Amino acid sequence: MGRNFRGSEYLKTTWISKRTVKDGEALIKWNYKGKATEIVGPARVRCRFATIQFLDRIKASPFEYLRVEYRDGRIEHLPGPRAIWKNPVFYEKITVEPAIHLATKSEAIVIYQTAKEKLARLVVSGPATVCPQFGERIHQFTWTQFENNEERVLGRINNGIKKCTFQTLKIGSLLPQEVRAKLTTNDGPSAILRVSLNLVIHNVEKLIDNTDDLTADLANSLESDLIVLGRRLDASSLRNLRGVAALVEGTTEEDDAAAASHMMDNTISEKTEIPVVIASQEPPFRRAFIRLVRRCEELGIELRSVELRGLDASPELIERWSAEDNRVKAQSAAAEAKLKHQANLAAATRHAEMESMEAERKGKALARQHSIDVEAARRTLELDEHKAAVLERQRVRDSKNLDQDLQNLSKRNDETIRFLSKLSKEAGVDTTKLLTAQLSSSTFSNPSTSKSAPPFDLANLMKAILAITENGVALSNNNTQDNPH
């Protein structure tokens, strides 16, 4: 019996035997006449000249269903949860298929049913789990999906475009769809404009009846509108998506300039990612994308808003931008060189002015020092002249005093001479001895002033004469006393 459950791989032909069918197992037994009997365990089976085969158990979860193909050609769909023994007598094939789970009201599928030899279309919306019956077919939506890293030719099936197949459609709520369309400027270069369309699907039947590929259809309509818009654009205007947005919104160049003052200047490279939402209370994109809006209305879709996601520049456009960049760089370099030259010239001028001011300052300092030196020399000269004048006045005064002294001395000497002469004549005095004695007395009496004392001082001379006279009288008296005779 074993522990494991046996399946269809267990096939035996036996003459006389017994088999135990465990709980959870089933088998089919063919007797020697070919009659088949299905036995579901637990059971004890006696086999005589029989062929036995255990059966596989096929099960489906709540979100699955069983597709049962009978040997008589019938096909039946059995929704889960359910399990069935795969009896080869009755069933040709049993497969487990996933049910369609619609989680919200905005999710829906389209089911085709056959009724009275006619095909009816049924739109089923959630929340629900849908297990289609045999004969019902789920509509497969096949839309173009644009990849970022592949070559694209919009609106056409190409190796650079991926086809996406799905069954569940989002209705009644916002459905973003990214499309790409070729934009050709009025001066020749082109680019692939990446646009995100915010759609709301209201009529599914209208959508299915009018298009097989929604994104490719909308891309074709968008490309038709861009042909008209491209006539008002040049290659340089594509460097900034704000210019395209302003054109779509219908603003003027003054408005663009005012808006540009409040934003940074973004230079668009080969691939740009600058979302620019174009939506307002009265959407201006309805005037710019007339064919796109009209096509959405034909498909039962409401176009809520348009977002410019960026653009992929063509080699010609990139070359044009490179040429413009080189020209701008050359102009910038020339302007920078001019500014640098002006700055150097201004610096040289300032340097020359500073040198001139420094030279002028030094000249003024030297002139001021020269003036100070001249003034000092003048004052020194005036002082020397003043000293010389003072000395001259002193010399004149001394000369006058000397002359006066000489005159006075001359007068005194004259008087002395007259006095001595008169004394010699009248009194018989020896003037020579008298003068000698006077000089000797004056010398011995005051040796320190003997050189400076006047030689003929009349007062001293009179004192000397009196002294001599007294001495002579005394001497004569003495002589008389000694010699009475």
Side-chain angles (χ1 to χ4, degrees):
M1 180 174 63
R3 296 181 180 179
N4 297 328
F5 290 105
R6 289 158 289 188
S8 59
E9 72 277 359
Y10 189 94
L11 177 63
K12 297 287 184 180
T13 300
T14 180
W15 288 1
I16 299 174
S17 65
K18 292 184 291 186
R19 295 290 187 273
T20 299
V21 182
K22 299 190 297 290
D23 192 5
E25 288 182 334
L27 62 77
I28 184 170
K29 183 180 72 170
W30 288 275
N31 61 14
Y32 68 93
K33 293 182 179 181
K35 183 179 179 180
T37 304
E38 181 179 327
I39 302 171
V40 179
R44 182 73 172 174
V45 180
R46 297 179 182 273
C47 303
R48 294 179 181 179
F49 302 100
T51 301
I52 60 173
Q53 182 181 15
F54 280 83
L55 303 179
D56 293 328
R57 189 170 182 264
I58 311 299
K59 63 183 179 64
S61 68
F63 298 102
E64 295 174 332
Y65 66 93
L66 297 177
R67 177 182 172 86
V68 181
E69 298 182 12
Y70 292 92
R71 293 182 68 86
D72 59 3
R74 292 181 298 114
I75 299 177
E76 185 180 9
H77 291 179
L78 303 177
R82 175 171 298 205
I84 189 173
W85 296 105
K86 187 179 179 182
N87 192 333
V89 176
F90 304 116
Y91 311 122
E92 181 72 26
K93 182 179 180 182
I94 301 176
T95 57
V96 179
E97 303 292 339
I100 300 174
H101 182 61
L102 304 177
T104 62
K105 294 190 298 182
S106 61
E107 293 182 353
I109 60 173
V110 179
I111 301 176
Y112 294 99
Q113 297 176 339
T114 303
K116 296 180 181 180
E117 299 181 355
K118 291 184 179 180
L119 191 63
R121 183 187 294 152
L122 177 64
V123 179
V124 180
S125 60
T129 300
V130 180
C131 297
Q133 298 299 319
F134 176 72
E136 296 180 346
R137 183 175 64 86
I138 308 298
H139 182 82
Q140 299 289 329
F141 295 95
T142 304
W143 292 356
T144 300
Q145 183 179 1
F146 300 101
E147 297 294 333
N148 291 330
N149 299 324
E150 297 177 351
E151 295 294 331
R152 314 176 224 359
V153 178
L154 301 179
R156 301 171 180 85
I157 299 177
N158 202 351
N159 293 329
I161 298 176
K162 179 181 178 181
K163 290 292 183 177
C164 180
T165 302
F166 58 95
Q167 294 177 340
T168 304
L169 186 65
K170 194 174 183 181
I171 62 173
S173 62
L174 203 62
L175 177 64
Q177 288 293 318
E178 184 172 341
V179 298
R180 290 171 171 82
K182 185 177 180 181
L183 174 63
T184 304
T185 60
N186 54 16
D187 52 355
S190 62
I192 301 299
L193 190 66
R194 289 180 274 127
V195 178
S196 178
L197 306 177
N198 294 321
L199 310 173
V200 178
I201 300 175
H202 295 295
N203 194 328
V204 179
E205 295 185 357
K206 206 173 182 180
L207 173 65
I208 296 174
D209 291 337
N210 289 280
T211 184
D212 294 329
D213 190 343
L214 176 62
T215 53
D217 201 343
L218 296 180
N220 287 330
S221 300
L222 178 63
E223 189 169 354
S224 299
D225 290 324
L226 292 181
I227 293 175
V228 179
L229 292 177
R231 298 171 184 171
R232 292 179 284 173
L233 295 173
D234 53 10
S236 60
S237 62
L238 295 182
R239 297 177 69 92
N240 195 328
L241 282 182
R242 294 285 181 179
V244 181
L247 180 61
V248 171
E249 292 179 347
T251 56
T252 61
E253 295 181 356
E254 291 76 7
D255 296 335
D256 293 341
S261 63
H262 298 284
M263 73 170 191
M264 297 177 62
D265 185 17
N266 297 315
T267 301
I268 309 300
S269 61
E270 182 179 355
K271 291 184 180 295
T272 60
E273 297 291 341
I274 304 177
V276 181
V277 179
I278 308 172
S280 60
Q281 294 180 353
E282 295 182 358
F285 64 84
R286 293 184 177 275
R287 298 189 300 269
F289 303 119
I290 298 175
R291 295 168 182 81
L292 178 62
V293 173
R294 185 185 303 142
R295 185 56 180 165
C296 289
E297 292 175 353
E298 292 174 357
L299 298 176
I301 299 174
E302 178 187 358
L303 181 60
R304 291 285 181 87
S305 63
V306 178
E307 295 181 5
L308 302 180
R309 292 294 182 181
L311 59 86
D312 301 332
S314 63
E316 184 182 0
L317 184 59
I318 295 174
E319 184 178 357
R320 182 73 61 87
W321 286 349
S322 299
E324 291 181 359
D325 290 340
N326 294 333
R327 184 172 63 255
V328 171
K329 288 180 181 179
Q331 293 176 355
S332 300
E336 185 177 357
K338 184 178 180 180
L339 291 176
K340 187 175 181 180
H341 175 69
Q342 292 177 354
N344 293 335
L345 184 60
T349 303
R350 287 195 300 271
H351 183 69
E353 291 177 353
M354 292 180 65
E355 287 184 350
S356 177
M357 293 173 62
E358 183 66 19
E360 184 178 358
R361 185 186 65 78
K362 289 182 179 180
K364 290 182 179 179
L366 291 176
R368 186 165 54 254
Q369 186 64 33
H370 178 69
S371 300
I372 293 173
D373 295 341
V374 170
E375 182 66 20
R378 186 183 64 79
R379 291 183 180 181
T380 302
L381 182 60
E382 289 180 354
L383 183 60
D384 292 342
E385 291 178 355
H386 177 69
K387 289 181 179 180
V390 170
L391 292 176
E392 181 64 22
R393 287 195 297 273
Q394 183 66 28
R395 187 186 64 77
V396 172
R397 187 168 55 253
D398 293 342
S399 178
K400 288 182 180 180
N401 292 336
L402 182 59
D403 292 341
Q404 186 66 32
D405 292 341
L406 291 176
Q407 290 179 3
N408 294 333
L409 181 59
S410 178
K411 289 181 181 181
R412 287 196 300 270
N413 290 336
D414 292 340
E415 291 179 355
T416 302
I417 291 172
R418 285 194 303 269
F419 174 74
L420 291 175
S421 298
K422 186 176 179 179
L423 184 61
S424 174
K425 291 179 179 182
E426 294 181 357
V429 177
D430 188 357
T431 56
T432 303
K433 292 180 179 181
L434 180 61
L435 292 174
T436 302
Q438 194 270 337
L439 290 174
S440 299
S441 62
S442 61
T443 301
F444 291 126
S445 61
N446 193 5
S448 61
T449 59
S450 60
K451 292 182 181 181
S452 60
F456 301 106
D457 190 358
L458 184 59
N460 292 332
L461 185 59
M462 292 298 295
K463 291 180 179 180
I465 292 173
L466 290 177
I468 293 172
T469 303
E470 292 177 355
N471 291 330
V473 172
L475 186 60
S476 61
N477 291 328
N478 292 329
N479 292 331
T480 304
Q481 291 177 1
D482 292 336
N483 192 6
H485 295 287

